[in-house]
Amino acid sequence: MRKSIAEKLDEYFSRLAVFYFSSLLGRKYFVTFRESKAYLESCGFGDVESFFPPPKELDREVSEMLQGGPGWYTLPTSLPIGIKENDRVPVRFYPAPKETPSKGGVILLHGLMMSSDLLFKPLIHALHKDGFDVLLPAAPFHFDRTPSGIQSGEFILGAHFLRAVDTLRQGVTDARALLHAYRSLTMQPAGIVGVSMGGLIGGWLDVLEDVDFSVLVVPALQFEPTLLHLPLGKIWQRRIMDTDLHEHMEEVTGWMKWLEPASHPLKSNPESVLLLVGKYDRIVSLTELSPEGEIREWKGVTVEYLPLGHVGVALSLGAVSIVADWASGRAAEKGTGGL
């Protein structure tokens, strides 16, 4: 019964989202194999350090934010792509209470289509109460980073391959810049909490950086099963068949696997990484993940399954407690050991 309800809720949400983007908005993005391949090559595909270039130093901007108190701040992107509205990073800052001993910072990475922080209020409150600064950056093409007339997350769900690549590269690089600046200025532990698409971005941070602690909640760590076989990927499935991409599926699936952080070794300590997975998830799929945390290059991470679907985990107060407890425990270990 619980499995059936969880899966139906995920599938209903997926179909509603697909209907909205494909039928109500009516925009169709057609990107050919040749265009996709050329764009990947121009981005340095195949070499991690080229694909994710070193981020800009943001010490001055982040210092002003830390001193300025709660609210929204706008930071420059580390990887401009020439789209004015998107080449800036709105960040909402929730400073820890002054009366609470500081445990460090959490960079909270949100999911696909998010345009408000309302869903994260219970998690932000729990982390705030535990003594964490919380920094919530807007992902590319989300919140106020959307060009006029474009909906939050439209390019990814609507299967615009080039803008999906930009979302990943910019999202990862901008989050790295924020992580570097916070740790440099505060000398405190700093960790990542990433939900769904944010779990994908956070996973790449674990590959590129030695993150102090990391919780990836229902993370979109595998593209091929998620986009090609589940309901939320219906537009991708149609666009692939509408273009010549389906004639090159072996190479396309190879691109997808390389773009997955789990295809690359962790720089973070695996013992600092928690994957919080929905047992009945029908929005993202982790077909290669074992309960022991064995998924390609990621060995030794902790995996915890909740008897819920994707939407259920995102709304679960139990998940909030698990995230806050993990962050507090790992931050305490880092704090006593020094940075």
Side-chain angles (χ1 to χ4, degrees), residues 8-324:
K8 284 180 180 177
L9 181 61
D10 281 1
E11 290 179 5
Y12 174 77
F13 174 84
S14 298
R15 290 195 174 103
L16 188 64
V18 168
F19 175 75
Y20 175 72
F21 281 99
S22 63
S23 299
L24 294 186
L25 290 181
R27 288 190 280 270
K28 296 182 179 180
Y29 301 111
F30 296 94
V31 182
T32 67
F33 174 79
R34 182 177 179 180
E35 289 174 300
S36 302
K37 185 172 184 177
Y39 196 69
L40 284 173
E41 289 174 353
S42 73
C43 294
F45 181 80
D47 180 78
V48 170
E49 297 302 323
S50 297
F51 195 75
F52 296 109
K56 289 182 179 178
E57 182 182 293
L58 294 180
D59 284 13
R60 179 180 61 81
E61 293 86 351
V62 173
S63 177
E64 291 174 358
M65 179 173 63
L66 296 176
Q67 295 174 32
W72 282 99
Y73 296 82
T74 301
L75 280 59
T77 182
S78 286
L79 191 64
I81 60 172
I83 298 177
K84 181 180 67 174
E85 300 91 338
N86 182 61
D87 286 346
R88 42 188 285 284
V89 188
V91 179
R92 187 155 192 182
F93 178 47
Y94 306 83
K98 292 182 180 178
E99 63 274 12
T100 304
S102 174
K103 289 184 179 176
V106 171
I107 298 174
L108 180 55
L109 303 169
H110 64 79
L112 182 65
M113 298 183 291
M114 296 290 293
S115 58
S116 167
D117 62 347
L118 287 177
L119 182 63
F120 291 114
K121 289 296 186 184
L123 178 56
I124 292 166
H125 175 74
L127 293 167
H128 183 262
K129 180 181 171 184
D130 279 356
F132 285 104
D133 293 325
V134 180
L135 301 88
L136 192 159
F141 305 113
H142 286 75
F143 284 76
D144 292 336
R145 296 183 73 171
T146 53
S148 178
I150 299 298
Q151 301 301 306
S152 193
E154 175 180 336
F155 288 140
I156 289 184
L157 192 58
H160 192 314
F161 187 88
L162 310 188
R163 299 290 81 82
V165 170
D166 289 336
T167 299
L168 177 61
R169 295 181 73 225
Q170 270 194 316
V172 170
T173 308
D174 291 338
R176 288 179 79 189
L178 204 54
L179 180 75
H180 285 189
Y182 183 89
R183 290 205 288 198
S184 170
L185 291 165
T186 68
M187 301 303 291
Q188 293 273 9
I192 300 296
V193 174
V195 181
S196 193
M197 179 188 73
L200 163 66
I201 293 172
W204 268 109
L205 259 71
D206 281 318
V207 168
L208 295 164
E209 303 286 341
D210 184 9
V211 181
D212 292 313
F213 56 89
S214 177
V215 189
L216 309 181
V217 183
V218 288
L221 294 177
Q222 286 185 245
F223 291 122
E224 192 265 346
T226 296
L227 295 180
L228 302 187
H229 302 292
L230 290 181
L232 197 66
K234 286 293 183 185
I235 301 176
W236 281 90
Q237 294 157 32
R238 293 173 192 162
R239 293 292 85 82
I240 285 171
M241 295 309 298
D242 289 341
T243 66
D244 61 348
L245 284 170
H246 69 277
E247 299 173 7
H248 305 271
M249 282 309 296
E250 184 175 352
E251 190 163 357
V252 171
T253 54
W255 296 344
M256 290 182 176
K257 287 206 171 187
W258 189 90
L259 291 167
E260 296 169 357
S263 294
H264 307 268
L266 289 168
K267 185 171 283 188
S268 292
N269 181 349
E271 294 181 0
S272 73
V273 180
L274 170 65
L275 305 185
L276 192 55
V277 179
K279 189 175 181 181
Y280 308 126
D281 198 324
R282 288 286 295 160
I283 289 181
V284 304
S285 179
L286 299 177
T287 55
E288 296 183 22
L289 177 65
S290 74
E292 295 76 30
E294 295 184 358
I295 175 171
R296 298 188 204 157
E297 298 290 334
W298 289 21
K299 303 293 189 293
V301 302
T302 299
V303 181
E304 186 161 346
Y305 289 89
L306 293 180
L308 298 166
H310 194 92
V311 174
V313 172
L315 299 176
S316 168
L317 293 180
V320 167
S321 296
I322 293 169
V323 172

